[in-house]
Amino acid sequence: MAAPELLSDREDGDASQVLRRIFGYDEFREGQREIIEHVVAGGDALVLMPTGGGKSLCYQIPALVRKGTGVVISPLIALMQDQVDALRALGVRADFLNSTLDFDEQRVVEATFRAGELDLLYLAPERLRLESTQKLLDAGDVALFAIDEAHCVSQWGHDFRPDYLALSALHERWPDVPRIALTATATPATHAEIATRLRLEDARHFVASFDRPNIQYRIAPKDEPKRQLLELLRSEHPGDAGIVYCLSRASVEKIAAFLADNGITALPYHAGLDARTRTANQARFLREDGIVIVATIAFGMGIDKPDVRFVAHLDLPKSVEGYYQETGRAGRDGLPSTAWLAYGLQDVVQLRKMIDTSEGDDAHRRRQGRHLDSMLALCETVECRRVQLLAYFGQEGKACGNCDTCLTPPESWDGTVAAQKVLSTVFRLDRERHQRFGAGHIVDILLGKKTPKVAQFDHETLSVFGVGAELSAAEWRGVVRQLLARGLLAVQPDHGTLALTEASADVLRREREVPMRREPERTPKAKLARAAKSAAAPAELSEEATATFEELRAWRSATAKEQGVPPYVVFHDKTLREIATLLPSTLEALGTVNGVGENKLAKYGQQILDALAP
Ligand code: ADP
Ligand code: ZN
């Protein structure tokens, strides 16, 4: 790859100029300027910023302004090619070293680095541990180390990579090279852990707001999940790209097939697929418009596709941190997006059981239990979801107007008596604890249903039989779910049968009240759409502008295909929308559009003007 000349005289290129010339952006986002100035001056930094907040520029610009090559450590080998392609499209001299390169290709990259002809070099952490790589870095000029996805150093997090632990030694070997660690995962505990493990205690810490106002958070009671999902996609996101997360490989396959049967382009992604299918499905998701990926959580870290319009969870995530990372993959472009989760009784039973039977010591299980409790509290809250999410990350917010509880506040009702009825049924069944009595059987007893199981165990004779006519079966399931969520009921690890907890006694003795959440009516679609729009405020395109935008998109598709890169590497939707509205007639005017930097102007400017010419 020939080195572009663009950045050759970069002495005069301060940060703002690089932002405009290379990236084509007019202004820094919140926090970016301070971080960039600090690192340009040689300072160490620990950056916590939500997904889509704009972390990449925080090390890319310092790497361009400082002398030498910025070395980026990232665990995402499969995405390095795309990251490098996106930078090259901007005229930045970027490359990567990882196991996908053959010997000769590696030699070329190494030589380019040694010659000082690289602005950015991407490395996997295991690569950096090799003595040969360290010698290579010694032989060149390193401008900075950027440690991306820094939460991978956290041993208790969901993305732990042992090779990240060795990054603590960077400072000893290269004491004069500034380090910047970045992550979107940031509970106070993870934050502290990253700082200690990467030896960044003395670094300056930058914590951005974790709010993602353009994402609409919704958590719905799980009823018929497939039908609910299909309705969401059909009525709110037809033709949109999105991610559907499921817990198991089997459900991934099932849901992907179901969506495909219903005319949606859906592809599966999980660790059980062979590497080639996985790579191909990921590549289609990135390169084609409107693909839905159905995946286990193994999918998505570092996916910088800006126009993911929805993230749907069909199973309960194991922690709020995980949930926030996954939902954060929606709407990086700032346009309205949906985070939708279907959640039910069975999720709680399944996850509690999984934790109880998981490997690891008690402390580990307790930690997992606490993670789940926070996730359940988020699901059962009667308050703004966003306020609750931000509070989890130690930040304050006000009721947002763009989440389900803000739009249709659930009522709270006194569930003490209902709780007592459920708990006393569980207590009476406890004598037969070797039997498998699930929540369904308990609800049948309360409703006085003469099922075969009721007959078999003579449960008609229980004093609680038929005492629950005041609630429907669905409402009783809601009561059981909320008791489980709050630890007033437990799941026995062996059978998955329900059991009392220490706290249950307080309720049975009437020493504790149990306020419950009543599921509200479904929010009308129009109301959801209005809230989404006012939160993200995208300019409504006129009819003509829409037509132009579609033409530009078609041009972009063809261009991207020709160059073998994802469409967003050519231009973002946001940039095309702005062009379709402003209709620039000169290169100079086109160059002022957000997202049009010098290199793209030189490369595509004339083609765009031709396409716009009447
Ligand atoms: P993160 O790594 O924090 O998830 P990215 O660095 O991928 O986020 O940035 C998210 C999106 O925002 C990208 O599409 C990027 O081009 C865009 N972006 C970043 N900084 C700016 C800025 N100052 N002005 C306009 N767009 C920006
Ligand atoms: Zn809200």
Side-chain angles (χ1 to χ4, degrees):
M1 168 83 26
E5 300 303 317
L6 260 179
L7 302 175
S8 46
D9 58 341
R10 68 163 86 113
E11 286 73 51
D12 63 332
D14 75 339
S16 311
Q17 246 178 310
V18 172
L19 181 74
R20 180 63 245 172
R21 282 180 50 208
I22 310 300
F23 295 92
Y25 296 139
D26 289 332
E27 284 170 20
F28 284 109
R29 292 222 184 121
E30 187 202 314
Q32 284 177 332
R33 178 189 294 281
E34 293 72 26
I35 298 164
I36 290 168
E37 282 174 357
H38 179 72
V39 178
V40 166
D44 291 338
L46 173 51
V47 173
L48 311 185
M49 212 184 247
T51 315
K55 284 186 287 300
S56 327
L57 287 191
C58 296
Y59 57 83
Q60 288 167 349
I61 292 183
L64 291 168
V65 173
R66 282 177 66 88
K67 198 168 139 315
T69 305
V71 173
V72 186
I73 297 130
S74 158
L76 308 162
I77 292 180
L79 295 168
M80 284 183 184
Q81 182 71 59
D82 280 347
Q83 285 170 326
V84 162
D85 284 345
L87 285 164
R88 287 184 180 162
L90 297 168
V92 175
R93 302 170 304 175
D95 226 317
F96 62 84
L97 278 176
N98 68 30
S99 48
T100 64
L101 299 184
D102 65 30
F103 186 71
D104 289 337
E105 289 169 323
Q106 271 183 53
R107 291 269 306 270
V108 173
V109 177
E110 288 171 8
T112 319
F113 168 76
R114 268 195 235 98
E117 286 167 4
L118 276 185
D119 299 309
L120 281 153
L121 174 65
Y122 285 76
L123 288 180
E126 56 274 19
R127 191 39 77 145
L128 187 58
R129 290 184 71 169
L130 301 177
E131 187 53 34
S132 56
T133 309
Q134 304 198 356
K135 284 213 176 106
L136 172 73
L137 296 186
D138 279 335
D141 200 356
V142 180
L144 56 86
F145 286 108
I147 304 168
D148 207 5
E149 313 286 353
H151 63 281
C152 290
V153 80
S154 157
Q155 242 161 328
W156 303 114
H158 42 94
D159 290 320
F160 176 56
R161 312 272 169 134
D163 285 311
Y164 261 65
L165 293 174
L167 299 177
S168 62
L170 285 178
H171 197 49
E172 285 149 32
R173 181 141 183 168
W174 294 280
D176 300 327
V177 179
R179 296 166 301 153
I180 168 171
L182 313 101
T183 180
T185 302
T187 57
T190 320
H191 181 172
E193 200 184 348
I194 296 173
T196 326
R197 289 194 193 277
L198 291 178
R199 299 277 180 75
L200 283 168
E201 294 98 337
D202 296 333
R204 217 172 121 189
H205 293 203
F206 297 87
V207 183
S209 162
F210 265 66
D211 191 14
R212 298 284 312 279
N214 61 313
I215 299 183
Q216 183 174 80
Y217 296 97
R218 281 151 57 190
I219 301 181
K222 200 188 268 186
D223 172 16
E224 292 168 68
K226 286 202 291 201
R227 185 190 53 70
Q228 288 171 285
L229 176 67
L230 190 61
E231 189 185 314
L232 174 79
L233 300 202
R234 282 199 173 143
S235 73
E236 295 179 46
H237 291 287
D240 282 346
I243 308 174
V244 178
Y245 284 110
C246 304
L247 211 52
S248 72
R249 297 173 189 183
S251 43
V252 164
E253 293 287 348
K254 217 172 57 195
I255 299 293
F258 166 78
L259 291 178
D261 284 345
N262 283 280
I264 290 169
T265 319
L267 303 171
Y269 188 102
H270 58 73
L273 292 169
D274 63 90
R276 194 182 308 151
T277 311
R278 271 208 314 266
T279 311
N281 288 355
Q282 173 169 306
R284 279 191 66 189
F285 178 67
L286 295 176
R287 281 171 168 67
E288 292 174 32
D289 284 328
I291 303 264
V292 175
I293 278 272
V294 187
T296 53
I297 52 164
F299 177 81
M301 187 169 40
I303 292 279
D304 53 4
K305 184 176 167 65
D307 56 352
V308 176
R309 291 274 69 87
F310 66 89
V311 170
H313 282 90
L314 284 188
D315 293 303
L316 190 66
K318 291 177 192 160
S319 70
V320 177
E321 282 188 84
Y323 168 76
Y324 207 64
Q325 285 257 337
E326 285 146 25
T327 53
R329 290 169 191 148
R332 290 161 96 99
D333 56 9
L335 297 175
S337 310
T338 311
W340 179 85
L341 159 67
Y343 149 76
L345 170 59
Q346 215 42 46
D347 287 303
V348 194
V349 174
Q350 196 183 353
L351 282 187
R352 288 251 196 258
K353 220 164 103 181
M354 219 147 98
I355 291 174
D356 283 335
T357 53
S358 74
E359 287 169 23
D361 55 10
D362 272 352
H364 182 51
R365 270 194 285 276
R366 270 200 301 279
R367 204 174 295 113
Q368 286 185 304
R370 278 200 301 274
H371 282 314
L372 177 58
D373 288 340
S374 308
M375 190 63 223
L376 293 172
L378 175 68
C379 292
E380 301 290 358
T381 187
V382 290
E383 271 147 43
C384 172
R385 307 265 191 214
R386 194 178 311 270
V387 168
Q388 183 118 346
L389 281 166
L390 291 176
Y392 188 78
F393 296 107
Q395 301 189 345
E396 281 177 27
K398 346 188 250 291
C400 73
N402 191 26
C403 75
D404 56 352
T405 57
C406 278
L407 288 166
T408 313
E411 284 168 35
S412 153
W413 60 288
D414 182 0
T416 314
V417 173
Q420 285 167 345
K421 289 181 180 176
V422 170
L423 297 180
S424 22
T425 311
V426 172
F427 175 71
R428 293 194 161 78
L429 293 180
D430 200 40
R431 279 173 287 163
E432 299 161 276
R433 72 159 71 219
H434 53 285
Q435 301 295 343
R436 293 164 179 263
F437 298 131
H441 186 59
I442 289 167
V443 173
D444 287 341
I445 292 175
L446 288 167
L447 290 175
K449 278 201 191 152
K450 295 178 186 163
T451 63
K453 204 165 192 173
V454 165
Q456 183 190 348
F457 293 97
D458 214 12
H459 283 163
E460 253 178 276
T461 59
L462 293 178
S463 58
V464 285
F465 188 78
V467 300
E470 72 274 23
L471 297 182
S472 69
E475 285 167 326
W476 278 118
R477 290 177 70 79
V479 171
V480 176
R481 190 194 73 218
Q482 295 185 58
L483 291 172
L484 272 168
R486 276 184 237 172
L488 292 171
L489 264 182
V491 181
Q492 285 179 354
D494 43 353
H495 286 156
T497 311
L498 300 174
L500 299 185
T501 66
E502 269 172 47
S504 319
D506 299 342
V507 179
L508 283 168
R509 276 192 251 108
R510 292 167 201 271
E511 279 165 14
R512 171 167 174 177
E513 291 193 352
V514 191
M516 294 216 177
R517 174 190 160 99
R518 191 188 312 280
E519 296 313 332
E521 295 284 308
R522 238 181 316 139
T523 315
K525 204 181 120 192
K527 197 170 170 188
L528 294 170
R530 259 199 316 277
K533 258 198 204 129
S534 68
E540 194 79 55
L541 288 184
S542 69
E543 212 167 292
E544 286 134 78
T546 307
T548 312
F549 174 64
E550 290 305 333
E551 278 168 39
L552 290 170
R553 261 164 70 107
W555 165 81
R556 179 182 69 179
S557 274
T559 308
K561 205 160 195 177
E562 206 178 280
Q563 302 182 356
V565 295
Y568 60 81
V569 166
V570 178
F571 282 121
H572 284 185
D573 278 2
K574 230 179 168 172
T575 302
L576 294 190
R577 286 172 71 101
E578 210 175 308
I579 295 174
T581 315
L582 296 175
L583 297 174
S585 56
T586 61
L587 284 174
E588 200 189 354
L590 180 60
T592 65
V593 172
N594 245 299
V596 184
E598 278 182 3
N599 205 51
K600 289 191 180 173
L601 186 65
K603 202 159 161 191
Y604 305 124
Q606 197 52 51
Q607 292 181 46
I608 299 244
L609 293 184
D610 291 345
L612 294 178

